[in-house]
Amino acid sequence: MHGPASYGWLLVALCAATGTYCLLRMRSHVEEQRRAAGGEALMGFGMAAMAVPAAVFTPPTWAWPLYAAVFGAAALQALWSARAGAHHLHHLVGASAMVYMAVAMAASPGRHGGHGDFGIPLLTGALLLYFTGYVLLSGVRLVPVAVAAGGGGVGWGDRPELARACRLSMGIAMVAMLLAL
């Protein structure tokens, strides 16, 4: 990721913490929550790895096609899962955004911004609009769930307010990463 190293490290910490909590959520007794948590853990750790400041670590050239392949497979899995419920479409958009960022980084290694003098490309702008809307909507939805949560006897994997907070933090990180692209 390009930009100040402190921003990159904050994104790494946020995404790694989110990925770690999603791994804990995989211990839920509800199969759908376990499956969603696995995909979100992959997304969190992938975003953490992608956010490592370029000044500290420059991935080898083969890493970006590998990212694209892994998240392309995750996008296909989300597309397949979308047959069961439309909420999987967000995972499809997120995995597709990761593929897009990996391709953009492979196409312009070492260039800051990756967009030249032409401003923000249409797809980047569309993804920014989507994730900004997602963040705002998730924040509004999180408030009543967090207030109503009693937490009595509920396991870590079954806390809806924490799952929504993780999704919100990944949405915020996605906006930051798209802006830095």
Side-chain angles (χ1 to χ4, degrees):
M1 187 177 138
H2 301 293
S6 59
Y7 296 156
W9 287 121
L10 287 172
L11 278 176
V12 169
L14 175 70
C15 294
T18 300
T20 302
Y21 176 69
C22 289
L23 286 179
L24 290 173
R25 283 184 38 227
M26 289 181 68
R27 296 178 13 199
S28 172
H29 298 293
V30 180
E31 181 180 346
E32 181 61 29
Q33 288 181 22
R34 284 193 309 268
R35 188 174 298 126
E40 291 166 1
L42 173 68
M43 184 70 72
F45 289 125
M47 290 172 70
M50 196 178 273
V52 172
V56 174
F57 174 72
T58 302
T61 57
W62 56 263
W64 299 119
L66 180 63
Y67 272 102
V70 167
F71 286 102
L76 289 175
Q77 204 284 328
L79 180 62
W80 182 258
S81 297
R83 297 174 309 124
H87 63 277
H88 292 284
L89 292 175
H90 172 70
H91 292 200
L92 174 63
V93 173
S96 299
M98 292 293 284
V99 170
Y100 171 67
M101 288 190 291
V103 169
M105 293 304 291
S108 62
R111 281 184 47 203
H112 290 271
H115 304 307
D117 296 329
F118 302 110
I120 296 176
L122 184 61
L123 184 54
T124 304
L127 288 169
L128 277 168
L129 283 174
Y130 173 81
F131 282 105
T132 300
Y134 179 80
V135 164
L136 293 173
L137 185 60
S138 294
V140 169
R141 286 182 177 170
L142 180 63
V143 173
V145 174
V147 170
V154 177
W156 282 100
D158 297 321
R159 306 268 313 259
E161 73 278 10
L162 292 178
R164 286 185 181 180
C166 281
R167 292 182 191 116
L168 175 63
S169 67
M170 283 195 289
I172 292 168
M174 187 65 78
V175 169
M177 291 174 74
L178 285 165
L179 286 172
L181 186 63

